[in-house]
Structure formats: C-alpha cells, structure tokens
Amino acid sequence: MRKLPNIIVTGTPGTGKSTHGERLAELMPKMTYVSINEYIKDHSLQDGFDEELQSTIADEDKLIDLITPDLEIGGRILDWHVCDIFPESLIDLVVVLRTSTTLLFDRLKGRNYPQKKFDDNMDSEIMEIILSDARESYDPQIVIELYSNDKDDLESNCQRIESWTKQWIIDNDE
Ligand code: DAT
C-alpha cells in the first residue's frame, strides 16, 4: 500500500504546470516533482521529432514501463500535458490547470512556438481538450479543474493540493 499519493498536474502548455509542480515540491518535501519532459530527455525516451511542431515525440510505452515502479512507491507529482496514459489504479488526483485565453496568448507568444503549435495549444485550451481527456481517463471525482491566472491562484491552488495530500495520508494510514 502506498504511503503517499500520486498527483498529475496537467493542462495546456503555458498554464503553469511546472510553476505549480515546483511550488508543490517546496510545500511538500516528501513528494517528488517529476517533469515528464525532463524525464523523457534524461532517460532517452524520445521516439522521433515532429518537425512541424518542433516537438519531441515520446515513446509512451517505454515511459510507462519505466515510471510505473516509481508510481507504485507513490509520492510523485507528474507534470505533463498528456494525462491519459498513466495507470488509473496508481493515480490519486488529477489537477487540470486552466488559464484565460488572453493570458495564455501572452504566455505562449513568449515561447516562440511555430504558428501551428501556438494555434493548436490555444485551440486545445479553448476547447477544454485536456480537461475532457482527464475526465474520460480517470474517475471524474479525482479530477479537479483549477485556474492558474495569477500568483494568488498559484498559492491557493498549491495550498489546496497540500491540504488534500495531508488528508489522503491520514485516510490511507494503516
Ligand atoms: P507549463 O509548465 O504548463 O508549460 P509554466 O509553469 O512554464 O507552464 O508557466 C508558463 C509561464 O506562465 C511562466 O512564465 C510562469 C507563468 N505562470 C504560470 N502560472 C502562473 C500563475 N498562476 N501566476 C503567475 N504566472 C504564472
């Protein structure tokens, strides 16, 4: 039985996943923040490169094989824009970050993405694609949608997730 929960922090690129993940790791030193983009690089889990989107394609099967033992231990905060591939039985909370389209527009403009990647990401946020993916892939009761527009949102979201984690630990203490 896991002593610590596994949490996915997902959302369209630019919504604040890594900012939240790093803050959560500060608030909860027992939890380990895992940027899946970095994990893919560190473990050579690339399966090609999409020239049009200027994005690495991940070998998702290898990723799941490699990360599952860590998830079985628990205490992972996973940051990735893809949320629907992790084993449902090992995920306790899915946080879907949302950002207003005007703010996201400015954040993504700063990244110099190719136009198609920029447009795809804006469309994804407007059409709530990641929220739908999360609700289809996990029990909707463990999926929460949180706004990440400003620093107050960041702080209140992280405090809420910290409180949820403390309660999970109490509820799952044998
Ligand atoms: P992601 O990891 O989802 O791609 P990020 O954490 O890199 O996003 O954030 C993108 C930019 O937006 C970065 O400059 C930090 C800023 N940002 C994100 N969430 C924020 C928030 N709630 N308040 C203020 N700035 C935020």
Side-chain angles (χ1 to χ4, degrees), residues 20 33 39 74 92 107 113 118 139 148 173:
H20 278 71
Y33 166 58
Y39 191 90
D92 304 294
R107 289 184 195 168
Y113 282 165
F118 179 89
D139 178 349
S148 169
D173 189 25

Side-chain angles (χ1 to χ4, degrees), residues 24 27-28 157-167:
L24 287 167
L27 287 171
M28 301 187 285
N157 292 343
C158 290
Q159 281 174 16
R160 186 170 161 190
I161 297 166
E162 184 191 17
S163 302
W164 175 91
T165 303
K166 282 184 179 157
Q167 192 58 48

Side-chain angles (χ1 to χ4, degrees), residues 30-141:
K30 286 187 184 160
M31 300 285 285
T32 305
Y33 166 58
V34 184
S35 159
I36 298 291
N37 285 334
E38 294 302 317
Y39 191 90
I40 289 166
K41 279 187 216 150
D42 292 348
H43 296 88
S44 302
L45 300 173
Q46 299 93 343
D47 187 21
F49 189 75
D50 184 323
E51 291 292 343
E52 189 180 22
L53 297 178
Q54 290 291 302
S55 297
T56 298
I57 301 164
D59 185 330
E60 294 183 355
D61 292 336
K62 273 194 197 158
L63 167 63
I64 293 304
D65 284 350
L66 201 62
I67 206 160
T68 293
D70 291 342
L71 297 177
E72 283 166 349
I73 294 166
R76 265 56 183 183
I77 301 166
L78 305 179
D79 152 8
W80 209 24
H81 62 284
V82 179
C83 67
D84 53 3
I85 63 165
F86 300 100
E88 202 183 347
S89 61
L90 296 176
I91 299 299
D92 304 294
L93 182 70
V94 182
V95 177
V96 183
L97 297 177
R98 305 297 311 281
T99 297
S100 79
T101 42
T102 39
L103 281 172
L104 189 65
F105 186 95
D106 290 340
R107 289 184 195 168
L108 293 182
K109 271 288 169 209
R111 288 190 174 180
N112 292 319
Y113 282 165
Q115 190 63 41
K116 178 165 167 41
K117 187 168 176 175
F118 179 89
D119 292 342
D120 285 357
N121 282 321
M122 288 303 297
D123 289 350
S124 163
E125 185 61 9
I126 291 163
M127 291 163 67
E128 306 189 333
I129 301 290
I130 295 180
L131 183 62
S132 307
D133 287 349
R135 287 183 176 149
E136 278 169 22
S137 308
Y138 301 94
D139 178 349
Q141 290 198 16

Side-chain angles (χ1 to χ4, degrees), residues 11-20 33 79 97 99 107 111 113 147-154 157:
T12 304
T15 51
K17 298 179 295 296
S18 61
T19 309
H20 278 71
Y33 166 58
D79 152 8
L97 297 177
T99 297
R107 289 184 195 168
R111 288 190 174 180
Y113 282 165
Y147 269 84
S148 169
N149 288 328
D150 56 33
K151 291 223 155 52
D152 288 347
D153 290 340
L154 169 68
N157 292 343

